[in-house]
Amino acid sequence: MTQRISTLTPLADVLARVAALVRPLGPRGVALQDAEGRVLAEDVFAGPWPAALMALTDGWAVRADEVADAGPYAPVVLSAPPTWVDAGAPMPPGTDAVLAPDAVTGAEAHAAATAGDGVLGAGGDATPERPLRRASERLRAADVGALEAVGVSRIHVREPRVRVVSAGADAAALAVARGVAAHGAKVTFVRALQRALTEEADAIIAVGGTGAGTQDRSVEMLARAGTVDIHGFGLSPGETAALGQVGAQPVLLLPGRLDAALSGFLVVGDALLRGLTGAPTSRGMPITLARKIVSTVGLAEVVPVRVTERGAEPLASGYWPMQALTRADGWVLVAPESEGFAAGAALEMRAFP
């Protein structure tokens, strides 16, 4: 096995191989508080919540029909002193509205109300018939708060265990590791590829050592431990990336140069992780190009772009200078059969990790 690349495999064939290597993982039950950012394995249901009428504001619990004619100059004497309720408390039996704190003096109401004012009906937050969040959706911080509020304490997720390996490329590997974690994976960061290839994980993503340099050995190591299906992606930057497996574990090897590692991860790593979690491909932000993008036919290309008042401008082609990466608002993908895009083209921009 040599680290030299004889041919570049078209990106579509690389992605087809990824699809053949990975399947959605089995569900795992976790505490809700530990699930932020994870991909749901099952729909989440709760309720009915609240089980009965609940006060939405602090105030006096009243029966609306009893205060329907009340006003500042025509107070209504209530049949009984009203009960104070705090927001979130169940409404006392026989009441259906909440009056403001200064709308009641003793047993007199100085303001009118209609049924439901300041009150949440039974099942207003959640009903057992309607899922709160669906399988394959990611659990956001706001979702965790909402589910906890309606009594959910445990859910089922697909959480890949991914070993991210730095083969002499710590900066790029750490950036990739953060991107892996953003997919809801449990990341273990290591610096020994040979050992990582012998340890159990759902996937291995190594960064560095994929080229023809004198110290580059990552592809050789994978060949000894398992199989190398593809070495050389038709993707710019990222041409020296490789894909294979050890046992049932898919292994993605990314170049050590930061832009090439990110490019390979954004396109191929993203597909691998979505295959494990079952998450669908997310839609990008619609943009209009202010300047044309010129690309080489035969290679897919990831192009960093910056959004300006005039539209989105490409910042680099081929190599990404660090100043282009830090100025970029996102990236776009040019298909291998395309020469690029003309100014005014409508595209979708995706975010960097």
Side-chain angles (χ1 to χ4, degrees):
M1 181 69 194
T2 174
Q3 291 250 156
R4 295 190 182 279
I5 299 170
S6 57
T7 185
L8 298 180
T9 301
L11 179 60
D13 293 346
V14 175
L15 295 177
R17 184 57 190 155
V18 169
L21 285 175
V22 300
R23 292 287 182 273
L25 301 171
R28 187 169 73 86
V30 297
L32 176 65
Q33 291 301 320
D34 298 329
E36 182 183 336
R38 304 298 186 263
V39 176
L40 291 168
E42 300 173 352
D43 294 349
V44 181
F45 294 90
W49 191 279
L53 293 180
M54 183 181 79
L56 283 176
T57 61
D58 302 331
W60 300 100
V62 296
R63 206 176 70 227
D65 61 357
E66 195 175 17
V67 300
D69 298 324
Y73 303 105
V76 169
V77 179
L78 301 171
S79 58
T83 300
W84 177 266
V85 289
D86 291 333
M91 293 290 289
T95 63
D96 56 12
V98 177
L99 284 179
D102 59 357
V104 173
T105 302
E108 290 186 342
H110 303 276
T114 57
D117 285 353
V119 173
L120 182 65
D125 277 329
T127 59
E129 300 81 18
R130 186 174 186 179
L132 294 162
R133 197 81 179 146
R134 291 192 176 277
S136 82
E137 292 180 332
R138 198 175 312 282
L139 203 65
R140 305 162 298 186
D143 300 327
V144 173
L147 295 180
E148 184 174 18
V150 299
V152 176
S153 61
R154 196 167 181 82
I155 59 174
H156 288 85
V157 300
R158 301 189 199 279
E159 183 188 44
R161 300 162 302 153
V162 181
R163 291 190 177 277
V164 177
V165 186
S166 170
D170 278 13
L174 286 169
V176 168
R178 295 185 182 98
V180 173
H183 279 266
K186 183 177 182 180
V187 176
T188 301
F189 189 87
V190 297
R191 291 186 175 85
L193 177 57
Q194 193 163 5
R195 190 183 71 191
L197 292 172
T198 66
E199 295 174 334
E200 186 179 355
D202 296 311
I204 297 171
I205 299 178
V207 183
T210 61
T214 56
Q215 303 300 316
D216 288 346
R217 296 287 184 271
S218 294
V219 180
E220 291 179 5
M221 288 184 192
L222 175 56
R224 287 196 297 270
T227 58
V228 177
D229 299 326
I230 298 170
H231 183 202
F233 291 0
L235 177 68
S236 175
E239 291 90 336
T240 67
L243 179 68
Q245 62 189 117
V246 175
Q249 298 176 88
V251 180
L252 175 62
L253 304 180
L254 297 171
R257 206 178 75 196
L258 178 59
D259 62 323
L262 288 176
S263 175
F265 174 72
L266 292 170
V267 179
V268 181
D270 178 88
L272 189 154
L273 292 168
R274 291 186 187 281
L276 292 172
T277 62
T281 301
S282 59
R283 300 190 63 178
M285 173 184 171
I287 58 170
T288 301
L289 277 183
R291 287 194 290 115
K292 68 178 181 180
I293 294 176
V294 178
S295 186
T296 302
V297 174
L299 278 183
E301 183 172 2
V302 177
V303 177
V305 296
R306 180 176 179 84
V307 178
T308 70
E309 292 180 352
R310 299 186 303 114
E313 297 181 345
L315 297 177
S317 180
Y319 173 68
W320 307 346
M322 294 304 103
Q323 59 182 327
L325 183 57
T326 56
R327 291 176 56 216
D329 293 308
W331 59 278
V332 298
L333 179 66
V334 183
E337 62 273 16
S338 172
E339 295 179 336
F341 301 106
L347 304 175
E348 283 193 354
M349 180 183 74
R350 291 184 166 78
F352 284 105

